[in-house]
Amino acid sequence: MKLFVPGRLCLFGEHSDWAAGYRPRNPAIEKGCTLIASTNQGIYAEVNQHPTQLILRAALNDGTKIEAALPMEKNALLAEAETGTFFSYAAGVAYQFLSHCGVGGLEIDNYLTDLPIQKGLSSSAAICVLVARAFNRLYDLKMNVRAEMEMAYLGETATPSRCGRMDQGCAYGNRPIMMIFDGTEMDVVELKVAKDLFFVIVDLGASKNTQEILASLNQAYPFAANEVQENVQKYLGAISSQITQAAASALQQGDAVKIGELMKVAQREFDRYLIPACPGQLTAPVLHEILNYQPIQPYILGGKGVGSQGDGTAQFIVKDEDSQQQVIDIINSDFPQMECLKLTIRSQYRVRKAVIPAAGFGTRMFPATKAVKKEFFPIIDRDGRAKPIILAIVEEALSAGIEEIGIVVQKGDRTFFEDFFKTPPSRELFQKLSLQNQQYSQYLQNLGQKVTILTQDIQEGFGHAVFCAKEWANNEPFLLLLGDHIYSSPTESSCARQLLDIYSQVQQSVIGLRVTQAEVIHHYGCAAGVWQEQDSILSVTQLYEKPDIEYARQHLSVEGMADDLFLSMFGMYVLEPKIFDYLAEHINGNFRERGEFQLTSCLDKLRHFEGIAGYVVQGRCFDTGLPGVYRQTLIDFPISGESIG
């Protein structure tokens, strides 16, 4: 199993998590409130069970490879945790899982880490969350994200690290969250962002002493003894909370200008109230130099320090993606000792990824599939070009502006797909191609960089295949396309583009629909509901898989449609990442339908709890999974753009 856990950036509310931990001793202290987002960088690992040991292999940022193996015994794990070395975090979390859950061991191959270490981005917390998630998933412990966070926090507290509960917020992945702290209690509010927001994170290349900062600020708790300490409590309480909640509101509205203004206010008030408590560290001349550096001012909307502040890391919110690069170029040129990272918080309603399940056996096309995977069967497109079916599906996704595509395949088929999308033709073949085809070959190589091959180790149904993309999807909404359907639109907007446009409009999951005759309705999943826009957008009230005619007539009729006409699935969906939670419930509970884990019943749960819209796609969907319909597709697809028919 492959896992990815990002780092986390505290946008607002630094220090308030541990400060609020003093509330049981002094109720006058305000609750803490932080606003955090995940970084685009993080920790990548492949994890497997091990019967008796905790084995950790890691590739460090400088290319050095290290490895450690510990017995899954409490004393050994705790002793390693207390050393404070690189392996201590994994050992601390393993100690907690062994103590509370009685698990076996883990083998963790941390094959890539592109997250800067010790730069206020919670690299240690990311390791702890990764180990907690590995135990949870591999030993089927059925923990939710909050429970994983708690175990990761307990694991890190077994080390010399003095982390706060905020750090483990990286467990929420790319979803920005607001965390509210009250003693040992914590609430998490997930935030939806209306527009893309662009940040630059700058490692100042200087030095700070976090322990000194924390020790100085902690002197103000639980009871302030002088005005300086009263000011520390005032800022980390009411002032910080007010700024952070205003920032959370601005974040959800996608108001970058307001966030920039609040960053300036937060830094100004931080300096006013906290520098006197630790002037040696918090005066931070390097931080303030870069915050006020004139050449970057035309591109930024605001900036502030990160984490414990001091001369460690700075963050800027910038005007747009071009400004993001401009700021980085200027800083790299003028401050070569500093390093910059991009952070982009994507709109909840912007879809970047597509999933294509292609892990079936192709039994209905046997014996042809004994020689060629069904996804590589040829079709002729409207330009007269011969191409495999899977390429036509990938191009459909790209036509909608999709940036990354995950294709779910059988483990043994990975090489076929990798070769097609990643390997250029041999030199001999390339030289024999026409100039046009040589150019198309380069196009394929560029396209292949956007494709990731995912594996479904055991074929357990369509829903299970979709679930195999969970980690790769990384809590983002995604476009789902079938691996044996191709699509054609008579309009300038492709079928996939239409669906993504509707998703942005209705701001909830969308299923593509088509009008279907009663006599074939038993072949398809079907939907019923109430029109938001007549014959176009449907508020879905029911989903049903392959109904018979009588059931469809009684339960699936839609007002305004002729008798014996129904709405069936088009084979294209835009889904919120919540669908993975319902798929996990079915898989963990072994709830099967027709012997497999299906998608439709999980879609119905998503409809019940979050709502689903249906959209009658202007276009046609062509099935290639049966000999007869595949033959007809070969005839109809090249001319399909002429009419909807």
Side-chain angles (χ1 to χ4, degrees), residues 449-580:
Q449 295 177 13
K450 301 179 181 181
V451 173
T452 299
I453 306 302
L454 312 169
T455 56
Q456 182 187 23
D457 293 344
I458 303 175
Q459 280 53 61
E460 300 219 66
F462 182 40
H464 184 268
V466 174
F467 184 74
C468 290
K470 180 181 189 302
E471 296 300 328
W472 176 82
N474 194 27
N475 289 316
E476 294 187 37
F478 62 97
L479 173 69
L480 175 64
L481 303 171
L482 303 186
D484 55 5
H485 285 54
I486 53 178
Y487 311 88
S488 177
S489 168
T491 74
E492 292 183 359
S493 183
S494 69
C495 298
R497 179 71 268 169
Q498 293 174 43
L499 221 62
L500 265 61
D501 288 344
I502 297 299
Y503 173 73
S504 297
Q505 176 182 332
V506 301
Q507 299 188 354
Q508 61 182 190
S509 297
V510 181
I511 56 175
L513 300 173
R514 59 184 169 184
V515 177
T516 303
Q517 301 283 344
E519 58 264 26
V520 295
I521 202 69
H522 62 283
H523 291 303
Y524 305 108
C526 298
V530 179
W531 292 114
Q532 291 182 34
E533 294 183 13
Q534 185 67 38
D535 300 326
S536 178
I537 302 175
L538 188 78
S539 290
V540 177
T541 58
Q542 185 179 5
L543 294 168
Y544 198 88
E545 184 69 21
K546 298 181 179 178
D548 58 40
I549 290 180
E550 291 308 313
Y551 184 91
R553 286 170 175 163
Q554 291 182 34
H555 301 286
L556 300 176
S557 296
V558 177
E559 185 176 355
M561 293 184 63
D563 292 343
D564 280 357
L565 288 182
F566 301 95
L567 295 173
S568 70
M569 305 292 190
F570 186 76
M572 186 180 289
Y573 315 75
V574 181
L575 299 178
E576 291 279 330
K578 190 70 176 177
I579 189 66
F580 291 118

Side-chain angles (χ1 to χ4, degrees), residues 155-372:
E156 188 161 358
T157 59
T159 76
S161 171
R162 294 296 174 259
C163 67
R165 288 182 178 272
M166 173 182 67
D167 294 350
Q168 277 70 35
C170 60
Y172 278 83
N174 72 331
R175 291 169 285 183
I177 59 174
M178 183 167 65
M179 306 174 78
I180 301 169
F181 304 94
D182 183 359
T184 59
E185 301 297 317
M186 178 183 68
D187 288 328
V188 176
V189 180
E190 297 183 43
L191 306 175
K192 292 187 175 182
V193 181
K195 299 178 182 177
D196 290 356
L197 297 170
F198 302 94
F199 298 81
V200 174
I201 315 304
V202 185
D203 172 5
L204 300 176
S207 63
K208 68 172 183 177
N209 188 322
T210 301
Q211 288 72 28
E212 182 181 341
I213 295 171
L214 293 175
S216 298
L217 298 181
N218 268 279
Q219 290 178 13
Y221 294 89
F223 299 99
N226 52 50
E227 184 180 1
V228 170
Q229 294 180 0
E230 288 173 357
N231 284 339
V232 170
Q233 289 195 14
K234 184 176 181 180
Y235 177 80
L236 296 183
I239 295 175
S240 177
S241 180
Q242 182 180 5
I243 294 171
T244 301
Q245 292 186 55
S249 177
L251 190 81
Q252 294 196 96
Q253 295 167 19
D255 190 342
V257 173
K258 182 64 174 178
I259 294 171
E261 293 172 354
L262 290 166
M263 280 187 171
K264 294 175 184 177
V265 171
Q267 187 65 53
R268 184 179 67 239
E269 297 298 278
F270 183 97
D271 293 347
R272 174 186 175 188
Y273 288 100
L274 267 62
I275 284 179
C278 187
Q281 292 295 323
L282 296 182
T283 300
V286 180
L287 170 65
H288 289 86
E289 179 186 9
I290 197 68
L291 291 178
N292 298 307
Y293 192 57
Q294 283 304 310
I296 66 173
Q297 300 306 312
Y299 307 104
I300 68 172
L301 300 171
K304 60 185 290 293
V306 172
S308 57
Q309 294 252 8
D311 280 336
T313 305
Q315 59 177 305
F316 298 97
I317 185 166
V318 299
K319 295 179 178 180
D320 50 36
E321 196 165 8
D322 288 340
S323 297
Q324 194 178 44
Q325 190 59 52
Q326 289 282 356
V327 170
I328 290 173
D329 290 344
I330 292 170
I331 293 175
N332 286 342
S333 173
D334 297 355
F335 299 90
Q337 77 278 17
M338 298 184 183
E339 295 182 10
C340 299
L341 296 174
K342 293 180 180 180
L343 169 63
T344 303
I345 301 178
R346 297 293 183 185
S347 163
Q348 188 74 16
Y349 307 111
R350 179 173 180 268
V351 182
R352 300 175 50 252
K353 295 186 175 185
V355 174
I356 305 173
F361 287 103
T363 54
R364 296 179 299 177
M365 297 293 277
F366 186 84
T369 47
K370 191 171 185 289
V372 180

Side-chain angles (χ1 to χ4, degrees), residues 379-382 486-488 622 633 635-640:
I379 55 99
I380 310 298
D381 68 13
R382 283 185 284 181
I486 53 178
Y487 311 88
S488 177
F622 295 87
T633 291
I635 297 170
D636 293 342
F637 183 68
I639 59 173
S640 59

Side-chain angles (χ1 to χ4, degrees), residues 345-467:
I345 301 178
R346 297 293 183 185
S347 163
Q348 188 74 16
Y349 307 111
R350 179 173 180 268
V351 182
R352 300 175 50 252
K353 295 186 175 185
V355 174
I356 305 173
F361 287 103
T363 54
R364 296 179 299 177
M365 297 293 277
F366 186 84
T369 47
K370 191 171 185 289
V372 180
K373 298 297 299 180
K374 67 175 182 177
E375 292 81 13
F376 289 97
F377 281 17
I379 55 99
I380 310 298
D381 68 13
R382 283 185 284 181
D383 296 326
R385 182 176 292 281
K387 62 181 59 171
I389 289 167
I390 190 65
L391 177 57
I393 302 169
V394 167
E395 289 178 325
E396 176 72 23
L398 295 176
S399 73
I402 292 295
E403 299 171 7
E404 300 179 42
I405 299 166
I407 305 176
V408 182
V409 307
Q410 293 182 37
K411 191 173 184 179
D413 293 338
R414 185 184 190 105
T415 301
F416 297 121
F417 288 85
E418 292 277 6
D419 282 349
F420 179 77
F421 285 107
K422 307 292 186 180
T423 305
S426 67
R427 182 178 179 183
E428 293 78 11
L429 172 58
F430 184 82
Q431 290 176 341
K432 291 182 180 295
L433 296 176
S434 66
L435 177 60
Q436 183 183 33
N437 278 337
Q438 287 180 352
Q439 293 171 343
Y440 197 82
S441 176
Q442 184 57 54
Y443 156 79
L444 287 178
Q445 294 308 300
N446 296 335
L447 179 151
Q449 295 177 13
K450 301 179 181 181
V451 173
T452 299
I453 306 302
L454 312 169
T455 56
Q456 182 187 23
D457 293 344
I458 303 175
Q459 280 53 61
E460 300 219 66
F462 182 40
H464 184 268
V466 174
F467 184 74

